[in-house]
Amino acid sequence: MKKWKEYNSLDSIFVFGSLIVLFCLFACKTRPNRHINITQQDSVIVDTQKIIVNQLFNPNVYAFKYNWYSTRMSVSVKNIDNQQEQISLNAFWVNKKDSIIFITLSKMGIEGARFVLTTDSVKYINHLDKEYYWGDYRIFNKLLGFPVDFYMIQSLFMGGDLPYFDKTCTKDSSENTITYMSSSRKSLKNNMIVEQKLQTDQLQRTIYQYIKDVKTLNNIAISFNNFVAMPDGQYCFQYMDISIPAMNIQLQCQLKGTKINVPGPTSIKRSEKYKPIKIQ
């Protein structure tokens, strides 16, 4: 297996922080944009005989209730084309709802990077290359090619719907699942328009999410499963699979030690010896 540092690239570091995805730090360098060749099942073209005609919806998704959420993860980073593992790493995620997200990435007990995201700032330290970034979300927008913010990252990671988007989804119910689809769902905060498919089980827990930015064709697909009951009676997924075709990586994330309403660390400090990362 290649050494950990060989996978450290600026592009993959910040794609990790953006989507819910959030585990690309040590993946290979970004490839030219590609998009998922989705099947007819995934297509936003729907059978009008199966949907509720002349009605549009916002996805009705199970709302996980928390003030604090934290979990540890074992992450396997694979090449989409050949399904070969590129690297495995550990991540620690802490979220104070609507306030702050704290992330560390480590390998063999050694921390390689740390992020602190707030509603208006991104702070990041790369211990391997002795670099840091103190700034806003422009770095995510530049790398992904479409706008993301704190609330989108928080919602996608927690299995929620896109925040601040209009009500333009059709709804298709089956015996086991409920599927919401839109070919042009618009953000109410900016000019972003996405193609979206969100699928839940009958308990309204998100099990699949597909989002494609109409302008750039950049997309992401996330699956959630292995739901377990928490001490407070809520259900939380313990496995997440994230595909990012533009980077040719698939992230298989096994969650463990998930805690609800237990405050976690949120601090970050930069060394004067580290060099700033500048975004043009």
Side-chain angles (χ1 to χ4, degrees), residues 176-192:
N176 298 315
T177 62
I178 303 171
T179 303
Y180 300 90
M181 290 185 282
S182 175
S183 60
S184 57
R185 197 171 181 206
K186 298 179 181 180
S187 171
L188 301 177
K189 295 181 66 176
N190 50 49
N191 295 323
M192 186 179 186

Side-chain angles (χ1 to χ4, degrees), residues 1-4 88-90 105-112:
M1 180 179 290
K2 295 184 179 181
K3 293 182 179 179
W4 187 34
S88 62
L89 54 94
N90 296 313
L105 298 175
S106 62
K107 179 71 175 179
M108 299 178 65
I110 301 174
E111 183 177 307

Side-chain angles (χ1 to χ4, degrees), residues 31-80:
R31 289 186 169 192
N33 289 342
R34 303 187 307 160
H35 64 277
I36 296 175
N37 294 320
I38 56 178
T39 65
Q40 183 63 35
Q41 179 183 1
D42 290 329
S43 174
V44 298
I45 301 174
V46 297
D47 184 348
T48 56
Q49 294 180 348
K50 296 174 64 179
I51 66 174
I52 302 175
V53 181
N54 296 327
Q55 292 191 47
L56 296 175
F57 303 84
N58 280 328
N60 188 8
V61 177
Y62 176 80
F64 195 76
K65 298 178 181 179
Y66 68 98
N67 292 317
W68 286 87
Y69 170 93
S70 64
T71 190
R72 298 187 182 277
M73 288 170 263
S74 299
V75 184
S76 174
V77 182
K78 291 186 175 182
N79 181 295
I80 289 179

Side-chain angles (χ1 to χ4, degrees), residues 2 76 82 122 135 163 224:
K2 295 184 179 181
S76 174
N82 59 29
V122 175
F224 304 89

Side-chain angles (χ1 to χ4, degrees), residues 173-271:
S173 298
S174 66
E175 181 178 356
N176 298 315
T177 62
I178 303 171
T179 303
Y180 300 90
M181 290 185 282
S182 175
S183 60
S184 57
R185 197 171 181 206
K186 298 179 181 180
S187 171
L188 301 177
K189 295 181 66 176
N190 50 49
N191 295 323
M192 186 179 186
I193 302 175
V194 301
E195 177 182 309
Q196 182 184 17
K197 175 179 178 179
L198 189 152
Q199 192 171 56
T200 74
D201 60 17
Q202 288 295 341
L203 295 179
Q204 301 174 346
R205 301 175 301 196
T206 299
I207 57 177
Y208 179 75
Q209 173 94 270
Y210 170 80
I211 299 167
K212 179 172 71 175
D213 178 57
V214 171
K215 182 178 180 180
T216 66
L217 301 183
N218 289 326
N219 63 82
I220 184 171
I222 312 174
S223 297
F224 304 89
N225 57 50
N226 189 20
F227 289 87
V228 298
M230 303 302 293
D232 61 357
Q234 298 189 88
Y235 287 92
C236 184
F237 62 87
Q238 295 294 283
Y239 181 82
M240 180 169 52
D241 189 295
I242 307 172
S243 292
I244 308 176
M247 298 188 67
N248 194 33
I249 59 172
Q250 179 181 5
L251 311 172
Q252 297 178 334
C253 312
Q254 184 67 54
L255 283 63
K256 54 187 177 182
T258 301
K259 298 180 180 179
I260 306 299
N261 295 331
V262 177
T266 59
S267 65
I268 187 168
K269 295 181 180 180
R270 66 188 187 198
S271 170

